[in-house]
Amino acid sequence: MKITLLDGSVKEFDKALTVKEIAENIAVSLKKATVGAVIDGNQKVASDYLVDKDCTLELVTNKQEGMYDEFISSTAAAISAYATDQVFKDAQIAEVFYNADEYEFAFTFHRDERLKLEQVSKIQDEVNKLLTTDIKIENKKVTETNDLGLNTYQLHTADEEIYKKGYAIVTTINDTYKIVSSEPICVEDKLLKEIHLQQLTGSYWLDDSKNVMLQRIHGLAATSKKELDKKEEILKDRRSRDHREINKTLEIFDFDPLIGQGLPIWLPNGTILKDTIKDYLKEKEWEYDYVQVQTPVIGTLDLYRTSGHLDHYRDDMFQPFKAGNEEFVLKPMSCPHHIAIYRSKPRSYRDLPLRYAEHALQHRYESSGSLTGLERVRAMELTDSHIFVRPDQVEEEFKSIYKLIEEVLATFHIDIDYLSFSVRDPEDKEKYYQNDEMWDRAEAELEGVLKDLNLPYKKMVGEAAFYGPKLDIQAKTAQNHEITISTIQLDFLLPEKFDLTYVDEKGQLTRPIMIHRGLIGTYERFVATLLEQTKGVLPVWLAPNQIEIIPVGGTDAEKYAEQIRQEFKKRHLRSHIDLRDERLSYKIRDAQVHKIPYQLVLGKNEIDNNTLTYRKYGSEEQTTIPANEFYDLVSKQVAEKQ
Ligand code: ATP
Ligand code: ZN
């Protein structure tokens, strides 16, 4: 048997050996450090797995942070599942998971009665007890699932594994408890020093809402207390940056189960924030010669049949509904509506580019499991545009769209993770709209622009939409998820489907190319990103409440405060007077907690001199200046989008 190692070297053995034996053969020191391996780049196996045929082998040792963590964590999940079985005999284990982004393991189980949090502590106690004993873990390879005595969930996993790999691994813990997992369960239980069960949630079996709801316990595993503390610290920091957490004090959005999952409510603070962003974007669109349009949130089924969305996008759309004799759908995107505007009269080459912008409400039926605060919702407002150009205008227009996006994202100080440039795979004749000449030209032009502008990008071959190449501007969320913020997508197909034309210089009917542009994506996802990147400390121009006014010293101060508030109003500055019966120090702290850019403390001294005493967010320093100077100071910051 020939084993190819990661460095390309090949080892030959005359008999089958376990991963651990192979490790020992390479170096004695490796024997201790190895917990498993990855075979042929995709099969993760524990160290007692018997390798019996030629393969490539990557040993997983305690030197490899990510992979090692996965192996240790899935083992901890199996031990925790066993502990659950010890405490609650009626819990039927379903699956074991590992989530690298969260360093977290999880396992699901079915039990008629929902566990209470204190019952999870019972499982934790059992886990702690187990960690002080020798746990016996044995893995056995099976190719048949009969007579294994597995529950229906485990049977399903075993059958899936056999279907995918030709075998499944049945792990037996302490001679009695059987568990099947697609994750490797290591026999080195002594390495595991810490297992910390963290929370209890629920998820549908196989993520399908038609199936039974399972209970899911999440946890962290580590080989030392220090490592566990480090993981917990990182997670705590991430959680504090999560926009859902930040929203608890800023009160930007809300959800109500009676309204429906994933249907966000923009609260007063959120509406101010969104409208402020919108005013700015419309001003930029004006500068770049876009025209604003507004189209209905529904369209007939025929519209989406013609556009092809019904075929390609059906699962992402809300179900069609009937009214009278007609059938409608909630629009998942505005492209066909904007096409209708283009088609409403004959167009000449002199009319192009035509840039329709719409800050458009749209609805998508995202799976309930994927809904994440404002980041992924079912009702959203896209900063959408469709631009109709002649083929010779693509390059220029792409450049100008990119410039617009870049300027806008810079105004918000958004950190771009990377640019993803998706092109077709020319070999794939099935997926892509067939017009090689058009694709070649457009791809070369877009790439030329990226090079001209000196922009680093990742080229993704075969990732283009079926209708054309695209550029996505990617960012990272606090939870380490990759998301698309802005997008520029070329489309050769929709103009054809709707038979769009313009009269060219020679009087001939010619097809335009369409460009879909999402300026900052949806307000929902953008605000989620903004909150996470600023940690909720919004700049003055965006802060829903820019100035908190705290009067001290009774009615005179309150009157003065009101007079000042009216002055702010005249200048379109947003302020609020704190009239609560609380101590000054409490009010100041509260304004800090709510991340209000300025706090004013007004008392006798200020009234007598017509001054203001202010303190900036995050600063201890107090400054007293004439009221007029303060108005100018804040107005200037707002005007300069600071
Ligand atoms: P994703 O891959 O994130 O689902 P997509 O590729 O389907 O997005 P597009 O159709 O290109 O998205 O939509 C344009 C923009 O709309 C995205 O860049 C993103 O900002 C935003 N967006 C898409 N789906 C959602 C959603 N469910 N909730 C919030 N924003 C969304
Ligand atoms: Zn579109």
Side-chain angles (χ1 to χ4, degrees):
M1 149 179 100
K2 272 198 196 130
I3 306 292
T4 310
L5 300 170
L6 262 202
D7 61 2
S9 64
V10 178
K11 291 255 172 195
E12 280 208 49
F13 301 99
D14 53 11
K15 60 170 191 206
L17 291 176
T18 66
V19 168
K20 193 146 260 189
E21 286 164 344
I22 295 174
E24 187 178 13
N25 187 284
I26 299 168
V28 180
S29 61
L30 267 182
K31 181 184 171 194
K32 214 169 153 230
T34 300
V35 291
V38 183
I39 292 179
D40 291 336
N42 57 24
Q43 285 178 56
K44 293 168 194 156
V45 297
S47 65
D48 62 345
Y49 181 86
L50 193 68
V51 184
D52 56 3
K53 40 178 184 288
D54 294 358
C55 63
T56 63
L57 190 83
E58 177 189 355
L59 292 176
V60 176
T61 70
N62 53 7
K63 298 273 174 312
Q64 279 154 297
E65 274 191 7
M67 194 65 87
Y68 184 66
D69 199 51
E70 172 167 357
F71 277 56
I72 292 291
S73 297
S74 52
T75 309
I79 292 174
S80 307
Y82 170 60
T84 307
D85 178 77
Q86 295 292 300
V87 184
F88 299 101
K89 281 290 170 204
D90 56 345
Q92 295 182 54
I93 299 302
E95 280 188 291
V96 162
F97 305 90
Y98 174 72
N99 174 353
D101 282 344
E102 306 270 320
Y103 305 119
E104 175 191 82
F105 69 77
F107 58 98
T108 48
F109 58 91
H110 178 86
R111 183 173 180 262
D112 287 338
E113 215 178 303
R114 245 193 104 64
L115 281 192
K116 300 192 178 66
L117 268 182
E118 54 278 16
Q119 292 175 306
V120 178
S121 339
K122 278 205 177 137
I123 303 175
Q124 178 75 59
D125 292 344
E126 181 65 22
V127 167
N128 294 348
K129 208 168 84 200
L130 280 171
L131 286 178
T132 62
T133 65
D134 278 324
I135 308 168
K136 190 168 158 201
I137 300 176
E138 286 168 303
N139 291 315
K140 196 169 146 220
K141 194 170 175 178
V142 300
T143 51
E144 274 285 332
T145 49
N146 298 335
D147 309 324
L148 289 175
L150 300 172
N151 70 35
T152 45
Y153 305 106
Q154 294 271 286
L155 210 51
H156 176 92
T157 308
D159 285 335
E160 284 263 293
E161 286 286 290
I162 293 171
Y163 176 74
K164 271 194 258 163
K165 302 180 188 162
Y167 68 88
I169 299 286
V170 179
T171 304
T172 308
I173 302 182
N174 283 352
D175 297 321
T176 52
Y177 180 74
K178 288 204 179 91
I179 184 163
V180 182
S181 168
S182 52
E183 298 284 346
I185 294 165
C186 310
V187 294
E188 292 81 3
D189 68 290
K190 280 281 153 258
L191 285 175
L192 259 176
K193 295 281 188 275
E194 304 283 342
I195 298 179
H196 189 185
L197 302 182
Q198 291 201 302
Q199 52 164 338
L200 177 68
T201 61
S203 64
Y204 292 109
W205 167 235
L206 304 178
D207 258 344
D208 187 337
S209 60
K210 289 196 262 335
N211 290 341
V212 56
M213 172 67 91
L214 299 170
Q215 306 189 49
R216 183 192 275 247
I217 291 181
H218 305 246
L220 293 180
T223 52
S224 68
K225 178 81 174 70
K226 200 168 145 209
E227 188 188 306
L228 184 74
D229 290 347
K230 197 173 134 203
K231 281 184 178 179
E232 279 181 337
E233 182 132 337
I234 294 173
L235 291 175
K236 198 172 131 211
D237 174 62
R238 277 199 203 154
R239 239 169 265 136
S240 73
R241 281 196 294 127
D242 188 320
H243 73 281
R244 292 167 290 185
E245 199 56 40
I246 293 169
N247 184 54
K248 286 181 187 161
T249 43
L250 296 201
E251 297 180 34
I252 302 288
F253 63 94
D254 200 3
F255 291 96
D256 186 317
L258 258 185
I259 293 180
Q261 274 192 80
L263 303 174
I265 301 160
W266 289 90
L267 296 171
N269 284 343
T271 308
I272 291 173
L273 176 58
K274 184 175 162 198
D275 285 349
T276 309
I277 299 172
K278 193 183 287 183
D279 288 347
Y280 164 64
L281 296 183
K282 285 193 172 174
E283 200 182 292
K284 290 302 287 184
E285 282 174 332
W286 165 258
E287 185 186 323
Y288 277 76
D289 290 320
Y290 285 74
V291 288
Q292 300 291 330
V293 295
Q294 284 220 303
T295 61
V297 289
I298 60 173
T300 65
L301 219 48
D302 276 342
L303 181 68
Y304 287 98
R305 206 170 273 130
T306 313
S307 69
H309 285 103
L310 219 50
D311 284 342
H312 287 282
Y313 212 74
R314 189 162 205 143
D315 288 349
D316 297 306
M317 290 159 69
F318 276 77
Q319 286 298 306
F321 62 93
K322 266 204 166 123
N325 293 327
E326 290 178 287
E327 271 198 280
F328 297 97
V329 286
L330 273 170
K331 75 175 176 192
M333 44 185 75
S334 304
C335 338
H337 290 72
H338 292 180
I339 286 175
I341 305 175
Y342 182 93
R343 277 211 310 188
S344 62
K345 59 184 195 186
R347 306 289 176 180
S348 129
Y349 68 98
R350 291 180 213 272
D351 299 331
L352 305 185
L354 258 179
R355 306 180 184 91
Y356 298 129
E358 178 168 5
H359 296 247
L361 255 188
Q362 58 186 34
H363 294 79
R364 296 183 179 181
Y365 195 71
E366 305 278 4
S367 72
S368 62
S370 71
L371 300 172
T372 314
L374 279 188
E375 185 187 316
R376 189 167 291 279
V377 288
R378 286 178 171 168
M380 63 203 90
E381 188 171 339
L382 184 65
T383 53
D384 205 2
S385 169
H386 294 95
I387 302 153
F388 298 88
V389 293
R390 306 191 303 253
D392 64 289
Q393 293 171 323
V394 166
E395 189 172 342
E396 186 79 1
E397 192 58 28
F398 179 70
K399 210 179 249 174
S400 140
I401 299 171
Y402 186 79
K403 195 162 159 264
L404 168 63
I405 292 177
E406 199 179 31
E407 281 175 20
V408 165
L409 293 183
T411 301
F412 294 102
H413 303 287
I414 292 291
D415 284 334
I416 297 173
D417 193 32
Y418 69 93
L419 303 182
S420 160
F421 176 46
S422 301
V423 296
R424 81 193 189 289
D425 172 2
E427 302 302 314
D428 191 343
K429 301 282 178 210
E430 293 252 303
K431 176 172 170 188
Y432 296 106
Y433 171 71
Q434 286 303 305
N435 184 335
D436 281 333
E437 196 195 321
M438 197 121 94
W439 275 96
D440 287 342
R441 175 170 171 182
E443 287 179 359
E445 283 178 353
L446 301 197
E447 194 158 14
V449 172
L450 294 173
K451 291 214 161 96
D452 271 0
L453 297 177
N454 245 333
L455 296 169
Y457 58 91
K458 283 190 198 166
K459 189 166 172 175
M460 319 289 269
V461 177
E463 289 296 310
F466 61 94
Y467 48 74
K470 64 173 178 175
L471 182 79
D472 286 330
I473 290 141
Q474 302 292 106
K476 273 252 169 79
T477 71
Q479 302 312 312
N480 232 8
H481 299 160
E482 187 71 58
I483 51 162
T484 301
I485 303 231
S486 318
T487 178
I488 311 174
Q489 309 186 353
L490 257 55
D491 193 334
F492 312 129
L493 189 64
L494 277 184
E496 185 137 331
K497 289 203 156 157
F498 283 93
D499 193 22
L500 302 186
T501 54
Y502 63 89
V503 180
D504 70 10
E505 292 102 317
K506 298 188 198 106
Q508 308 242 318
L509 282 183
T510 314
R511 248 208 234 295
I513 292 175
M514 182 170 168
I515 305 177
H516 310 253
R517 181 228 64 184
L519 180 48
I520 55 164
T522 55
Y523 285 98
E524 287 71 17
R525 184 172 295 180
F526 184 74
V527 166
T529 310
L530 192 66
L531 292 180
E532 297 194 349
Q533 294 203 352
T534 57
K535 298 187 179 170
V537 186
L538 293 168
V540 180
W541 76 286
L542 292 174
N545 178 13
Q546 296 164 318
I547 308 145
E548 184 70 4
I549 308 173
I550 309 174
V552 279
T555 338
D556 283 353
E558 283 171 14
K559 258 198 213 140
Y560 185 56
E562 179 54 27
Q563 192 188 319
I564 298 288
R565 193 182 77 87
Q566 290 301 334
E567 291 298 325
F568 286 143
K569 255 184 87 173
K570 276 189 215 153
R571 292 163 177 82
H572 280 272
L573 297 175
R574 301 179 289 267
S575 65
H576 171 260
I577 307 175
D578 189 344
L579 291 172
R580 289 176 301 176
D581 192 12
E582 295 285 356
R583 294 216 323 267
L584 176 64
S585 59
Y586 175 88
K587 291 184 178 184
I588 289 179
R589 197 160 6 96
D590 203 42
Q592 295 274 352
V593 168
H594 288 86
K595 302 180 168 43
I596 299 163
Y598 286 103
Q599 299 158 35
L600 298 187
V601 179
L602 305 182
K604 186 164 181 329
N605 186 25
E606 284 78 15
I607 302 172
D608 291 348
N609 299 306
N610 197 21
T611 56
L612 298 174
T613 298
Y614 72 88
R615 177 202 284 251
K616 271 185 105 155
Y617 173 81
S619 157
E620 293 288 310
E621 196 184 330
Q622 294 198 37
T623 312
T624 304
I625 53 173
N628 273 330
E629 274 182 36
F630 185 77
Y631 305 146
D632 291 349
L633 172 89
V634 185
S635 299
K636 183 163 175 277
Q637 280 185 323
V638 172
E640 290 174 356
K641 310 229 163 4
Q642 288 177 8

